[in-house]
């Protein structure tokens, strides 16, 4: 029963992933990847922003350090999500199952799972199944149809990933001016790395990492989050 509940909860995520990964498939083909290579990346990675950044670096051989730094910066958030979610796991959810949990963690899957008081193995397996399939199938479809669809449609679909990021960022930015500050700082730094004479020579992977770290540091300095007194008392006890 828990598996079925997880499947139902994962349907909206799977539908969203199907459309976004379609765009990833198209972009992978533009960078010279084959259909099976693009699908294999999505099958074994399941990280939207990391994959989009990764294929750009993979298209320019030799930038291994850039790829390492950019992927660590982009994907480190999943480690914190896994740690947070591990506090709600059913006692039977242990051992190799925790490794599986870490593989399937995404922003959306985490948001659904963490809203439950207790997360069982069956529920999490059901929750992750359809999004994983949707992400992989969408990539394969995008890569397969990328050379068939009209140029106008291709251009429109190419904006889907940016639309997803805007949809994620805008709501919290409207509610919290410090989130807006971090977003604005990251955007300004990215623009600088794109157009300024010296900075535009820096690889995209390093530029993304610098923008993320500096923007986060600015927001942390301007508006540091105070520790919860209740949490401190529990730690001391």
């Amino acid at each position: 029963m828990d598996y079925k509940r997880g499947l139902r909860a994962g349907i909206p995520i799977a539908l969203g992933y199907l459309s976004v990964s379609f765009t990833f498939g198209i972009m992978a083909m533009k960078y010279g990847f084959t259909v099976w290579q693009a699908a294999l990346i999505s099958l074994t990675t399941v990280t939207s922003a990391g994959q989009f950044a990764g294929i750009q670096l993979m298209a320019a051989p030799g930038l291994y350090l850039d790829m390492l730094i950019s992927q660590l910066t982009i994907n480190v958030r999943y480690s914190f999500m896994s740690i947070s979610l591990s506090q709600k796991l059913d006692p039977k959810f242990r051992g190799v199952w925790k490794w599986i949990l870490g593989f399937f963690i995404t922003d959306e899957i985490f948001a659904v799972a963490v809203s439950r008081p207790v997360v069982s193995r069956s529920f999490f397996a059901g929750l992750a199944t359809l999004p994983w399939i949707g992400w992989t199938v969408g990539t394969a479809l995008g890569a397969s149809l990328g050379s068939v669809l009209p140029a106008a449609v291709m251009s429109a679909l190419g904006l889907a990933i940016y639309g997803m990021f805007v949809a994620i960022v805008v709501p919290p930015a409207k509610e919290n001016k410090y989130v807006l500050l971090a977003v604005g700082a990251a955007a300004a730094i990215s623009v600088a790395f794109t157009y300024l004479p010296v900075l535009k020579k820096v690889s995209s992977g390093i530029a993304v990492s610098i923008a993320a770290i500096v923007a986060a540091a600015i927001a942390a300095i301007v508006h540091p989050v105070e520790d919860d007194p209740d949490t401190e008392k529990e730690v001391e006890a």
Side-chain angles (χ1 to χ4, degrees), residues 162-178:
Y162 304 108
M164 183 190 74
F165 290 142
V166 169
I168 292 173
V169 169
V170 168
K174 289 173 64 177
E175 296 177 2
N176 191 318
K177 63 181 180 180
Y178 298 106

Side-chain angles (χ1 to χ4, degrees), residues 5-6 8-10 13 81 84-89 101 105-120 123-124 127:
R5 280 194 285 267
R8 287 194 294 268
I13 301 175
M81 291 179 189
S84 174
L85 189 57
S86 68
Q87 309 305 308
K88 293 194 170 189
L89 299 184
L101 176 150
I105 281 288
T106 65
D107 302 275
E108 295 78 14
I109 290 175
F110 169 78
V112 173
V114 80
S115 64
R116 294 175 61 87
V118 178
V119 181
S120 67
F123 177 83
F124 189 84
L127 177 62

Side-chain angles (χ1 to χ4, degrees), residues 70-116:
S70 65
Q71 293 302 311
L72 283 175
T73 305
I74 293 170
N75 296 322
V76 70
R77 70 187 189 279
Y78 296 130
S79 299
F80 297 112
M81 291 179 189
S82 297
I83 293 171
S84 174
L85 189 57
S86 68
Q87 309 305 308
K88 293 194 170 189
L89 299 184
D90 182 273
K92 295 181 180 179
F93 203 149
R94 59 190 178 191
V96 69
W97 291 100
K98 287 188 175 182
W99 288 78
I100 296 173
L101 176 150
F103 173 77
F104 284 108
I105 281 288
T106 65
D107 302 275
E108 295 78 14
I109 290 175
F110 169 78
V112 173
V114 80
S115 64
R116 294 175 61 87

Side-chain angles (χ1 to χ4, degrees), residues 20-84:
V20 174
S21 63
F22 192 94
T23 305
F24 173 74
I26 293 173
M27 291 187 65
M29 291 296 288
K30 287 184 177 180
Y31 282 106
F33 292 85
T34 63
V35 174
W36 74 266
Q37 287 173 333
L40 184 62
I41 291 173
S42 287
L43 182 70
T44 57
T45 308
V46 199
T47 165
S48 56
Q51 289 181 215
F52 279 92
I55 58 173
Q56 297 180 48
L57 293 171
M58 291 169 71
L63 299 178
Y64 301 117
L65 181 60
D66 290 9
M67 178 174 290
L68 174 63
I69 294 173
S70 65
Q71 293 302 311
L72 283 175
T73 305
I74 293 170
N75 296 322
V76 70
R77 70 187 189 279
Y78 296 130
S79 299
F80 297 112
M81 291 179 189
S82 297
I83 293 171
S84 174

